[in-house]
Amino acid sequence: MRVFPLTMTAICVTAALALSGCASSSSAQSSAPGTAGTVTASAPASATAPAATPAACNADYCTPASWDTARAATPLTQIAPFAEPLNVVISARSTVSLTAIQAAMTKWETVSTASTVNVTGIHIKCISSESADVAGNGYVAQQVAWRLGGCVDGNALSISGDEDHARIWHQPVPGSKYGAWFVAASYETMCVVHDGKLETAKSHLAYTVLHSSSAYHCVDGGPGSIDTAHPDGYTDGAQTFAAAVTTAARARGWQVSERTVTVSRGASAGEGGVPFNGSVDVLTVTA
């Protein structure tokens, strides 16, 4: 799940994200914490795919048109177009809003497709746009994206392969106040094209500073990644995200129930050929 490297302009971009129960698509902006870097604005990316209609609903969610995101292209020939798995669902039975859940997850900050970050001199986009069809209205870009550590600290984590992030889409569900939220989560490593190959930015920091246009985020487990701690970028990313929701909710005194479902997917591998299965963590958070 990748970020498109951009320019070196240093303009801080922040915006408030308003999330309501059956909200339509909205744009999220990033807030760069501390003084580790600066954030700059740029145009968001997008992906498209044919529309379809979701199937029957249960108490947790309506079956989406696809459990995969639309195929997304990259600016690097070394990374072929790819789809990613929707691997976590925050259930429509939840009585706690997504806004409140994020507020409890203090290290998970909103990031934007319209922002870039400067980390140790490397200028790279906070997050790229991907599309999914969870509401049956056709493929749309993520309505919100979170990164562990936000744009600045999150990209610093990506240098060591420890950056987890989540793209999130809303689905209205009949009888539910907040609806369901579908999440595509994964771990990434900041990578760079060096001598025609994807390699870790950590191994070529000086080169990456001078060639930021060749820098990218490679999903852990694929070429250019560090997979010592997270060999399965998609499964590990989903498990870490679900655990973060559970820990934050229980710290607030909320109840959390979790179940795992197995779904049918159109693809079995994502960015860089990193495999994924049909497992989806379904979380219900109630006050």
Side-chain angles (χ1 to χ4, degrees):
M1 109 171 261
R2 298 32 12 218
V3 286
F4 289 56
L6 296 176
T7 63
M8 299 180 64
T9 312
I11 308 171
C12 289
V13 177
T14 59
L17 174 68
L19 293 173
S20 60
C22 293
S24 60
S25 177
S26 59
S27 298
Q29 302 292 334
S30 64
S31 297
T35 58
T38 57
V39 175
T40 61
S42 66
S46 64
T48 60
T53 302
C57 300
N58 57 44
D60 291 323
Y61 56 83
C62 301
T63 302
S66 175
W67 285 97
D68 303 336
T69 64
R71 190 167 296 276
T74 79
L76 304 177
T77 59
Q78 290 80 4
I79 303 177
F82 60 91
E84 297 196 297
L86 300 172
N87 47 22
V88 179
V89 174
I90 298 178
S91 164
R93 292 188 293 119
S94 298
T95 62
V96 179
S97 70
L98 188 70
T99 303
I101 291 171
Q102 184 189 19
M105 299 167 66
T106 55
K107 294 183 179 180
W108 287 80
E109 299 181 15
T110 298
V111 293
S112 172
T113 59
S115 303
T116 58
V117 64
N118 177 356
V119 179
T120 65
I122 302 168
H123 296 259
I124 192 165
K125 195 166 184 175
C126 290
I127 198 164
S128 62
S129 179
E130 291 185 19
S131 295
D133 182 2
V134 304
N137 298 320
Y139 283 79
V140 297
Q142 68 251 17
Q143 287 146 303
V144 60
W146 300 347
R147 191 176 289 279
L148 180 61
C151 194
V152 176
D153 291 346
N155 271 280
L157 286 172
S158 75
I159 294 176
S160 60
D162 293 315
E163 184 278 313
D164 197 6
H165 62 276
R167 291 182 175 88
I168 307 174
W169 290 263
H170 180 250
Q171 180 193 75
V173 175
S176 170
K177 179 178 181 180
Y178 295 116
W181 295 93
F182 287 71
V183 181
S186 61
Y187 270 104
E188 297 177 333
T189 299
M190 188 186 296
C191 54
V192 66
V193 177
H194 185 262
D195 291 336
K197 296 181 179 180
L198 287 170
E199 300 188 20
T200 65
K202 185 177 181 179
S203 300
H204 305 282
L205 286 177
Y207 178 89
T208 307
V209 170
L210 296 174
H211 300 84
S212 290
S213 62
S214 295
Y216 206 64
H217 279 169
C218 291
V219 172
D220 287 3
S225 72
I226 300 171
D227 57 14
T228 305
H230 312 290
D232 190 342
Y234 291 114
T235 299
D236 294 345
Q239 290 177 347
T240 295
F241 179 81
V245 172
T246 298
T247 299
R250 288 176 176 165
R252 293 290 179 95
W254 303 329
Q255 300 298 313
V256 182
S257 64
E258 181 177 358
R259 67 187 181 100
T260 301
V261 298
T262 301
V263 303
S264 297
R265 300 192 187 279
S268 60
E271 192 243 304
V274 177
F276 51 79
N277 56 31
S279 293
V280 178
D281 292 319
V282 181
L283 304 173
T284 300
V285 182
T286 54

